[in-house]
Each structure stands twice: as structure tokens, then as C-alpha cells.
Amino acid sequence: MGNQQFLADKIRTQEYHLNMGPQHPATHGVMRMVLKLDGEEIRDVEPVMGYIHRSIEKMSEHITYKQIIHLTDRLDYLSSHQNNEAVALLVEKATGIEVNDRIKVIRTIMSELSRIASHQLWWAVMGMDTGALTTFFYGFRDRELINDIFEETCGSRLTMNYSVIGGVRYDLHENFVKRVKDFIVHFRKKLPEYDQLLSNNVIFRKRTEGIGILTKEQVIAFGMNGPTARASGFVCDIRKKIPYSAYDRVHFEEIMATEGDAFARYKVRILEMWESMRIIEQLIDDIPEGEFKVKTKAVIKLPAGEHLQRVETARGDFGVYAISDGKKNPFRLKFRSPSFANMHGLNKMSEGTKIADLVVNFSTIDVVVPDIDR
Amino acid sequence: MTANKTIITDFLVDQMQMPVDIAFWVEIVVVAAVYLGVFALLGLFLVWMERRAAAFFQQRLGPNRRGPAGLFQTIADALKLVSKEITGTEKRDKFLYTIAPYFVIVTALMALAVLPFSQELQAFDINLGVFFITSVSSVAVIGIFLAGWASNNKFSLLGGMRSGIQMISYELSIGMVIVAMTVLTGTLQLSEIISFQQEHGWSIWSGHIPAIIGFMIFMIAGTAESNRTPFDLVEAESELGSGYHSEYSGMNFAYYFLAEFVNMFIISAMVVILFFGGWLSPFGITDGIPYVGVFWFVFKTLGVVMLMMWFRWTFPRFRIDQLLTLEWKYLIPISMVNIVFMALVVWLGLTF
Amino acid sequence: MTNTELKEVIGSWSENLNFVEEGSEFLIVEVPAAELRKIAEKLKTDANTAFDYMFSLTGVDYGEDLGLVFHIESTTKNHMIELKVKTSDRENPNFDSVSDIWPAAYFNESEAYDFFGIKFNGHKNLRRIFLDENWIGWPMRKDYKDEFNMLTR
């Protein structure tokens, strides 16, 4: 011990800065992290955002609520349906539009399908970030099936634009029920493969367990949310807390973990895929009959005041906060994005870890960069 | 130094009436040219094989358009790389930056020279064969380290730093496994190692338990030595972009790329020579026929190569401290004990 | 706690607070800028309120005033309020930073600075978080002139 102290006094190491990004495979898009390093050890992480800032909030102040829905796709493109739904629900709640059960059920099924698709993509990329390249193709193989279902019903695969104020844009395709059922059967067989390939791999376990630990208190203080926060034991699922659409009539569990490390975050997302399938199975068999879109006025004006709608996207608690002055466009519209909130925890997670751990931690937060930059 | 009687010198001296000294030098040039050709083709073939294997593991097709089963795809890629501009960072150390790839490629080529492809086909059969391969391939780390240093890029530097740590550490356990196997076979000459196995059966059989332990250590350390997943920290594309060769382009990059694959072949060939009888056929079924050994040697080596590819497409990557823990806390002690164990086995005559 | 109870508890801390219950589903607490930190600390630490989770921080340009809206939530009591603070100083608007009380405000305060030019005293690294460092003006303000914006009517 004394010898080590002697060496530490004698041998000075120099801290240096490293720019990770904006074009770097681990940042999942255009983001930059300024790392302060000592050798391989991280002393400080400063995320530099804004490379894909498109001023969506500013644009929203000039357009109508119907048009705003189209912009929300571009926030978190992997949860585009939930984002659409958030604005639609906000306007419906504020103006008192009642939607029927069919619409609610369709929206819920779509939300859960896109949650699965998002988690599949996350899993695929998570494997890549730890160095296991094969996961990428496994994840995309199954995600393709969901995208096909989306494409058949709403004509697009990623930015869906499916929810509109007062309903959904098109009725379900006639193959929809059958294909969703086929997918569930298929994916119930394939999801255990994910565990075989990655979750139970000893190297992967060593890379993730005990890495980037956040306690429940820290998670709450940082305002984090979604699966990332639930892995630390913070009960924050909006689907349970403030049920919207058809979530009040389905039985599912809020997946929780208490370890708060990278593997807990990983585990929560894998288990959430199982729960999402459970939700879909409860709804898919009897989708109520009815209109797929209720009649709304041509020009929708929100009553003056403040409105807030929260939904649970694949990344967490997505909030739309609108201040209206009674006109057809909002006075101020704020998108409270879950990825942006989750970025607060990154520095704490990375304390005393190595570059390789930063990549793993960043991957387990599961950010979508356009969602941060808005 | 006098020329051995080989087919080429025989032909040149007897048929072409060439003086023996000149024939000797001509032979060297011819063999070198042949080996260069083999080297290039081998590299290209292994790249193709890697891509097909990856595609197989990942449930996709892989290259299948150019030539039969896409065999010519890598040739097209190589032509593209040759025609590309060689770029680099502005403030690089130009001299070191330029020579660095040659360290890697030349050492890979030198190690290839001593491999016994069959009883008749070995370019350079020195009595320190195994020693030669390990010492030559440890020079390769200089090339990688220089590339990381001279590129003047922090990602490259990190890659180079990691390669220094990793390759030097894992060389130790490779060396110790070789010592253990030398205790069994009693020679360092590659052809002698194989003729020992011709008498006593393949080492993995005749050396049984210590040989199997040695084989496992050698596979792990060999994978680390050739910088492949799960030990590809040197490149670590999700962490360092592409590590030490981030700033290399065109042919300079291709040198690193080819050398990686040829090194993998050499490590696999070492495994085959040390444990699986080199060019010997199973149960001696074709031992009498000349040059058939080439088939068995390449066949077995590609089998081991396939195993390494299987590793790569299945495992995630280690972290740097885990990598060192594995080597210094597990592999080195085990391989040290293994030497003693092997010596005991040989001393007590417990070999088959 | 219900809005009325919250109103009672929070109202007892200071006389300068203004409560609004119309126009929003949550209780709106309007705080004078000088008392922001004091009230924020109290809101977080008081056992009755225990607002430990900052849901969002929104900068708003009300036309004449610049303001902030904090949506704060209690994870133990499951209630939420809006905390509002305003200033009429458009030249040099500044508030006390609450990023040490709710670390979640750290990037959000930078965002408010970036879009509205609101400065935060005591923030560790206040910077243009989304826009370029050399950007001139505060784009989310109502009086910001953007000749390239085709959407303006």
C-alpha cells in the first residue's frame, strides 16, 4: 500500500479531454460528449447537445394542433405513435372530445407494438455497443414484422402519423388482427433467444452488472423516468399512474428492479417486452366495433389556460404542456422529453468508470437524440 | 549457407544448367513471390470466409453476387482499396505513420514462411520454428502501437495503448503453453513436432489433460493476440471508432486488415501444429501420399479459424481491466501450473 | 394532498404567494422571484409537500413578462403543482438557480437561457445548450424577428 502511494506521488498522470462525437457509433446519432479522462478512466462527462435541434417548439407556436401532431413524430421517432397520441389526447382532454372504445383500444395496441419495436431496436444496438454484432440482426429480424404491420395499416413504418385529434387516421387493415396474433406467437418463441444470445452471456453480465449504479433517490433527483428509472426502483409508469386510452382495462405489471445498474436497466426492458405482449393479447381478441374517428370541428381551438398530458413512451414519461390563449395555435408548447431528462444521470453513472462502461451506460439509458434536441 | 536439395534448385541446376549459387538466389525469389501470392489470396479468402460466416450466424446471405458464392467480392474490395487515396491527419508523425503498417504486414508474412504445409512443402524449416513464430509475431505490436501514436488522434492513441497492454500480456501465456508443449514433444522445430505426433498420436491425445488445458489457454490467448472479439479492444468500433487504424486509408488500411486475418490463420496453424498433428491425416489414412498433407493442414486450420469466427460473432467485448484480470490472475497462473503438470506427466511416462 | 390542502400548507410559508386554481388541473403557485429559492427548498424538504421530482421546467414569454413554469411532483404523496415565477426585466432577466435543489433543473435551466435569455444565478455551467454559441438573440421570445421563418403569420 505504501509503495502504491509512493508511486502515485511520483508518477503524475495528466488528464486530457476527448470529444466523443458528434459522429461516433456509440452516441446513436449526432451528439457529442466531452470526456475528461485520466488514461481510460472517466473524470467528467459533459454532453453537448443541439446538433439536431429543429426548433419544434417554436414551429408549434405558429401552426394548428392538427399540424403539430406531424412534428411530434420527429421527436422520438421510435415512439412516434405515443408522441402523436400525447398531442391528440391533450387536445381531446382540453376540448372535451369523447373518443369511443375502439379508438382507445387501437391506440393502446399500436402503442404497445411500437414499444416492443423500440425495445427490439434498443436491444439490437445494445448488443452492438458491447461488441456482440449478431444481436443487431436478431433484433431487426423481429422488428421488421412489426413495421410490416404498421405499414399495412397506416402506410408508414417509422413516423406513423396515425393518431389524429378525435381518433386514428385509417381503420385497421383487415389483416391486422391476424398478423398481430402471428407476431405474438412468433415473438414469444424468439424472445428467449435474446436471453440465450446476450443476457446469459458471462462476458455481457460482467460488462453490465454493477456498472453505472444509480440509487432511487438519485434517479428521482435527476428527474429521470421510464425503464431507466424503474431499474432503480422508482415507480413511474404513467400507464399505471395516470392511465390513458385503454390502459385502465388491461392487467399488466409495472416492471421494476432495485439494483439500478446497467444490467437492471437491460432486464427491465427485456421484461417490458413480455408485458407489452401480454397487454396486446388481452386487447387483440375483441377490438370493439365502432367509428375509428369521431367528428371534430374543422378548426380546433383550445380553451384558454394550461393543459398537460403525459404518456409513457418507450423511453419514459413524455409530457406535452400547452399554454393556450384560446386561439387555434398554442401560445407556448413545451415537449417534456424523457431522453432529455434521462441525460441528467449520465455524469453520475460514469463516475470512476471506463470508456467502455460509458458506452454501455449510454446505451442502457436508451436515448434518441432527436428527442433530446427537439 | 548451402542450398538444400529442393525441387526448384534441382530443376534449375539440372535442366537449366544454372550455377548452384545463382539457382539458390533464384529459388529464394521464386519462393518469396509464391508466398506473397499465397499471402494475398489467403487474406482475401479469409475475409470472404469471415463475411460468409458472419452472414450465416446472423441469418442473412452475405456476399453472393461476384463469382461463385461471392468469392470475387473481396478481390473487388481489394481493388477498390488499392485505388483509394492515401490520406492521413495533418499533424501526424509522417515517418512512423508511413512505416507502421509494414511492421504488421511483414511480420505476418515472415511468420507464414515457417509454417509446414506438408512434409514436402515448407519454405524455411529452422530448428527454432515455434520460437521464431512467437518472436516475430510479437514485433507486430510495434506496428499497431506506432500507428496509434503517429496518427495524432486520441482514439488511435487509446487503441494503440490498449494493444500494447493486451498483446504483450497475452504473449506470456502463449509462450508458456508452447513451453509446456515443448516439454511433451522435446523439440522446437515445427517439422519435428509433427513427426513426434506421427509416432505418438496427436499431442492433444498423447498429452491428454495438460494438453487440453494448454489448448484452451492457447485458443483464448491466440484470439486475444490476433485482436478479435471478445478481445477486439484495440479496434472496439463502438468505443474508439476503429482504434489504431482510424486514420489509415486505402492500401495502408488494407495492410492492417489483411494482416489481422493472416495472423488469425497463423495462430490457428499454430494450434493445429501444436495440438492437432499439423499435416497428419486422422488415423494416418493418407500418410503415404505426398502433398495430401497440404489439404489436411489447411482443412484443420480453417476449422480452427472457423472456431475463432464463431467466437467473434457470438461474444460481446471485454473491458480493459477484465481483459487484464483474465490474463494475469487466471491464464498465467494456470499455464505456469500446467507446465509443471506437463513435466510431471512426461517424467512419469503417463503420455500415450 | 388535494389542492386546497396544499394551498393551506404552502400559503402558511409566505405572504407573497399567489394561488390560482382556474385554467389548469393543478394548483398554480406564483412566487416572487426573490423568494423562489426559499420556497423551492421548503417545497422539497417539507414533509407535507415533499416535492422531490421536477417533472419539467418551461420558460415562457408572456409578452411583457418573462417567466418560468416548474411542474413539480411528489413521488411519495403523488401530487403535483405548477410553480410560476415572473420578471418584467426583459433586458437582463435573472432568477436564482434551483439546480442544486432539483438536479433535474440543470439542463433545463440552460435550455431556458438558450431560448429566452433568462439567466440563473448560481448555475454551474449556463450555456447555449441547443443553439450555436454565436447565436444572436433569444429565439423563443415573442419579439424575436426571424425573417427566414416561413410559418409566421
Side-chain angles (χ1 to χ4, degrees):
Chain A
M1 193 63 212
N3 197 20
Q4 270 181 14
Q5 193 54 48
F6 172 76
L7 281 177
D9 291 342
K10 275 280 173 201
I11 304 169
R12 290 258 169 264
T13 54
Q14 194 184 352
E15 284 177 356
Y16 64 102
H17 285 91
L18 180 68
N19 268 316
M20 215 168 174
Q23 275 101 30
H24 189 280
T27 52
H28 298 188
V30 276
M31 212 187 111
R32 182 152 69 98
M33 283 182 279
V34 182
L35 311 181
K36 199 201 228 175
L37 295 169
D38 181 6
E40 285 235 5
E41 269 190 8
I42 294 168
R43 293 277 178 268
D44 189 45
V45 184
E46 184 72 45
V48 179
M49 306 162 222
Y51 286 92
I52 194 166
H53 177 63
R54 293 143 301 168
S55 65
I56 285 178
E57 285 173 17
K58 179 78 178 170
M59 283 157 83
S60 302
E61 289 178 14
H62 298 292
I63 57 178
T64 64
Y65 292 98
K66 280 183 178 176
Q67 290 167 322
I68 288 170
I69 292 188
H70 302 288
L71 296 181
T72 57
D73 275 348
R74 277 78 186 169
L75 291 168
D76 174 359
Y77 48 78
L78 294 177
S79 314
S80 54
H81 182 263
Q82 286 106 314
N83 292 355
N84 296 159
E85 197 182 351
V87 178
L89 287 170
L90 174 94
V91 177
E92 282 158 17
K93 190 166 78 176
T95 53
I97 300 170
E98 280 288 322
V99 296
N100 61 32
D101 282 358
R102 183 177 175 80
I103 294 166
K104 286 180 178 170
V105 168
I106 290 175
R107 280 177 175 172
T108 311
I109 294 173
M110 282 296 189
S111 287
E112 290 311 309
L113 280 177
S114 53
R115 189 183 317 279
I116 296 176
S118 169
H119 283 354
Q120 281 168 340
L121 189 138
W122 159 82
W123 181 81
V125 177
M126 168 93 206
M128 285 247 292
D129 281 345
T130 51
L133 299 167
T134 304
T135 60
F136 193 74
F137 294 91
Y138 275 58
F140 270 71
R141 173 194 66 192
D142 302 329
R143 186 168 175 269
E144 206 64 12
L145 298 172
I146 297 184
N147 280 352
D148 287 345
I149 294 171
F150 287 161
E151 188 181 9
E152 214 171 48
T153 290
C154 36
S156 49
R157 296 159 69 84
L158 190 69
T159 51
M160 286 153 66
N161 267 321
Y162 188 51
S163 262
V164 293
I165 294 163
V168 290
R169 191 170 296 275
Y170 311 105
D171 204 354
L172 290 178
H173 193 269
E174 56 194 11
N175 288 342
F176 182 81
V177 175
K178 187 182 165 294
R179 289 189 79 155
V180 171
K181 280 182 179 167
D182 285 351
F183 167 76
I184 301 274
V185 171
H186 166 86
F187 197 51
R188 273 192 185 278
K189 281 207 289 282
K190 294 294 180 187
L191 195 47
E193 266 185 18
Y194 288 24
D195 288 339
Q196 287 165 13
L197 187 62
L198 197 61
S199 322
N200 296 332
N201 186 303
V202 66
I203 301 174
F204 181 76
R205 284 291 186 96
K206 289 256 184 221
R207 284 291 303 279
T208 50
E209 277 174 353
I211 299 299
I213 296 175
L214 286 181
T215 62
K216 186 181 172 188
E217 287 70 32
Q218 282 165 347
V219 158
I220 292 170
F222 287 128
M224 295 171 75
N225 47 38
T228 316
R230 287 198 282 279
S232 298
F234 174 30
V235 186
C236 61
D237 198 332
I238 302 301
R239 293 176 293 174
K240 283 272 188 202
K241 211 157 94 178
I242 316 164
Y244 56 96
S245 293
Y247 284 113
D248 47 358
R249 73 185 72 170
V250 288
H251 302 286
F252 67 101
E253 269 174 43
E254 183 174 351
I255 304 295
M256 303 291 297
T258 47
E259 297 91 344
D261 59 357
F263 188 71
R265 294 190 278 275
Y266 172 91
K267 196 172 65 182
V268 165
R269 289 203 178 84
I270 291 281
L271 292 175
E272 265 190 12
M273 287 198 257
W274 287 107
E275 284 307 306
S276 292
M277 283 196 281
R278 226 178 109 194
I279 295 172
I280 296 170
E281 273 176 339
Q282 288 171 44
L283 295 171
I284 194 71
D285 277 325
D286 38 22
I287 298 173
E289 291 299 314
E291 290 284 303
F292 63 89
K293 192 178 171 209
V294 299
K295 287 257 178 307
T296 52
K297 284 185 217 147
V299 179
I300 293 169
K301 291 178 179 170
L302 247 60
E306 299 178 7
H307 311 281
L308 175 70
Q309 175 66 45
R310 297 160 77 175
V311 296
E312 181 78 15
T313 71
R315 254 136 228 98
D317 191 347
F318 177 77
V320 187
Y321 172 54
I323 303 178
S324 171
D325 51 359
K327 295 210 189 90
K328 64 184 184 208
N329 44 358
F331 180 76
R332 169 87 169 97
L333 193 74
K334 159 96 178 174
F335 293 112
R336 188 268 188 196
S337 76
S339 302
F340 186 55
N342 282 345
M343 285 308 291
H344 286 99
L346 187 65
N347 202 356
K348 190 82 199 165
M349 275 182 197
S350 315
E351 253 174 27
T353 58
K354 305 227 166 14
I355 297 177
D357 296 330
L358 175 75
V359 174
V360 169
N361 282 333
F362 194 74
S363 192
T364 50
I365 302 177
D366 188 22
V367 295
V368 164
V369 178
D371 192 28
I372 298 175
D373 288 351
R374 285 164 287 153
Chain B
M1 207 151 76
T2 51
N4 294 330
K5 293 288 272 182
T6 62
I7 301 169
I8 300 171
T9 37
D10 280 355
F11 175 78
L12 289 174
V13 174
D14 298 347
Q15 307 288 320
M16 309 286 284
Q17 315 296 331
M18 208 179 263
V20 176
D21 285 354
I22 296 176
F24 171 66
W25 288 106
V26 169
E27 188 202 4
I28 287 179
V29 172
V30 169
V31 170
V34 167
Y35 263 82
L36 264 178
V38 168
F39 181 85
L41 283 179
L42 187 65
L44 293 176
F45 174 76
L46 286 169
V47 174
W48 171 84
M49 185 173 155
E50 171 94 323
R51 288 171 68 176
R52 293 291 288 188
F56 172 71
F57 286 121
Q58 297 174 340
Q59 313 187 344
R60 56 194 175 88
L61 294 171
N64 62 352
R65 296 296 172 91
R66 301 279 85 83
L71 258 174
F72 299 157
Q73 181 64 47
T74 44
I75 296 176
D77 289 344
L79 286 175
K80 183 206 76 175
L81 282 171
V82 171
S83 66
K84 275 177 96 169
E85 185 194 352
I86 292 177
T87 60
T89 43
E90 210 166 81
K91 292 193 172 170
R92 66 187 193 258
D93 186 328
K94 226 168 185 171
F95 175 66
L96 296 180
Y97 179 85
T98 319
I99 61 162
Y102 297 97
F103 272 99
V104 179
I105 197 89
V106 168
T107 51
L109 190 51
M110 277 167 79
L112 199 66
V114 295
L115 294 182
F117 284 91
S118 83
Q119 197 160 16
E120 302 81 10
L121 201 66
Q122 185 177 10
F124 188 40
D125 188 17
I126 50 171
N127 54 5
L128 283 172
V130 189
F131 190 67
F132 180 81
I133 289 185
T134 44
S135 48
V136 155
S137 59
S138 56
V139 176
V141 68
I142 296 177
I144 293 176
F145 197 74
L146 281 185
W149 175 254
S151 296
N152 192 23
N153 173 335
K154 282 171 190 165
F155 285 110
S156 298
L157 180 64
L158 276 169
M161 218 161 70
R162 286 176 174 191
S163 85
I165 299 168
Q166 176 183 332
M167 291 175 78
I168 291 168
S169 309
Y170 278 84
E171 221 130 66
L172 290 172
S173 49
I174 285 198
M176 290 201 203
V177 172
I178 287 173
V179 169
M181 294 318 289
T182 317
V183 170
L184 178 69
T185 55
T187 174
L188 283 170
Q189 192 169 3
L190 292 173
S191 54
E192 290 293 313
I193 290 175
I194 293 169
S195 40
F196 172 84
Q197 298 184 43
Q198 202 160 16
E199 284 168 38
H200 298 86
W202 296 0
S203 298
I204 195 123
W205 163 252
S206 59
H208 52 90
I209 301 168
I212 289 169
I213 296 172
F215 167 66
M216 286 172 174
I217 295 173
F218 200 94
M219 271 319 282
I220 295 170
T223 315
E225 188 67 12
S226 53
N227 292 332
R228 292 174 60 83
T229 319
F231 304 97
D232 65 337
L233 288 97
V234 177
E235 281 150 52
E237 73 169 77
S238 62
E239 292 156 30
L240 305 179
S242 52
Y244 63 94
H245 59 57
S246 301
E247 300 294 349
Y248 281 87
S249 73
M251 219 39 217
N252 278 349
F253 164 73
Y255 286 154
Y256 282 115
F257 197 63
L258 283 181
E260 183 197 322
F261 282 90
V262 174
N263 275 332
M264 177 170 68
F265 184 84
I266 290 164
I267 293 285
S268 308
M270 286 290 287
V271 170
V272 169
I273 292 164
L274 286 175
F275 300 98
F276 296 103
W279 39 261
L280 296 175
S281 53
F283 308 111
I285 42 178
T286 62
D287 274 4
I289 315 163
Y291 291 108
V292 178
V294 179
F295 165 75
W296 287 114
F297 182 78
V298 173
F299 177 78
K300 284 187 232 174
T301 308
L302 289 183
V304 181
V305 166
M306 194 67 202
L307 188 63
M308 286 170 83
M309 287 178 179
W310 194 352
F311 288 165
R312 172 160 183 183
W313 300 110
T314 313
F315 289 138
R317 183 186 306 124
F318 277 106
R319 200 172 58 213
I320 188 79
D321 56 324
Q322 292 167 345
L323 177 107
L324 294 176
T325 311
L326 177 70
E327 167 66 10
W328 291 94
K329 288 194 177 161
Y330 298 98
L331 293 190
I332 288 186
I334 293 173
S335 50
M336 278 175 165
V337 170
N338 198 38
I339 294 178
V340 179
F341 189 26
M342 180 63 103
L344 278 175
V345 166
V346 174
W347 183 44
L348 297 172
L350 294 176
T351 53
F352 291 104
Chain C
M1 276 203 282
T2 59
N3 282 356
T4 1
E5 286 168 338
L6 277 172
K7 196 173 162 182
E8 257 172 48
V9 174
I10 300 168
S12 66
W13 297 340
S14 171
E15 288 161 6
N16 305 324
L17 302 180
N18 187 19
F19 294 92
V20 185
E21 275 175 282
E22 295 88 49
S24 172
E25 56 185 307
F26 308 109
L27 178 71
I28 299 173
V29 183
E30 289 180 351
V31 190
E35 288 188 28
L36 175 64
R37 265 196 74 85
K38 192 188 111 191
I39 296 294
E41 222 156 291
K42 203 92 168 114
L43 282 170
K44 192 185 175 187
T45 48
D46 194 279
N48 288 323
T49 50
F51 287 106
D52 50 358
Y53 184 76
M54 202 190 88
F55 176 68
S56 78
L57 192 165
T58 313
V60 188
D61 181 3
Y62 292 100
E64 284 167 11
D65 297 342
L66 288 170
L68 297 174
V69 181
F70 297 83
H71 282 85
I72 46 174
E73 196 178 7
S74 168
T75 53
T76 44
K77 310 257 176 206
N78 279 327
H79 48 221
M80 193 175 196
I81 58 164
E82 281 179 31
L83 193 65
K84 280 190 181 179
V85 58
K86 281 183 190 174
T87 175
S88 55
D89 183 0
R90 292 183 75 85
E91 287 304 306
N92 188 23
N94 64 79
F95 298 111
D96 288 334
S97 169
V98 292
S99 58
D100 51 336
I101 300 168
W102 293 297
Y106 184 71
F107 287 138
N108 284 296
E109 285 179 352
S110 278
E111 188 192 318
Y113 169 73
D114 196 356
F115 291 160
F116 295 94
I118 300 169
K119 293 195 180 63
F120 291 88
N121 313 324
H123 190 282
K124 271 182 279 178
N125 185 11
L126 203 63
R127 59 185 163 109
R128 291 270 192 192
I129 190 169
F130 292 138
L131 301 178
D132 193 82
E133 290 288 333
N134 308 318
W135 194 278
I136 298 162
W138 313 105
M140 289 288 278
R141 287 195 187 182
K142 293 286 175 192
D143 53 6
Y144 181 77
K145 290 278 177 295
D146 182 4
E147 55 237 59
F148 300 109
N149 188 357
M150 288 179 288
L151 289 167
T152 316
R153 279 174 211 141

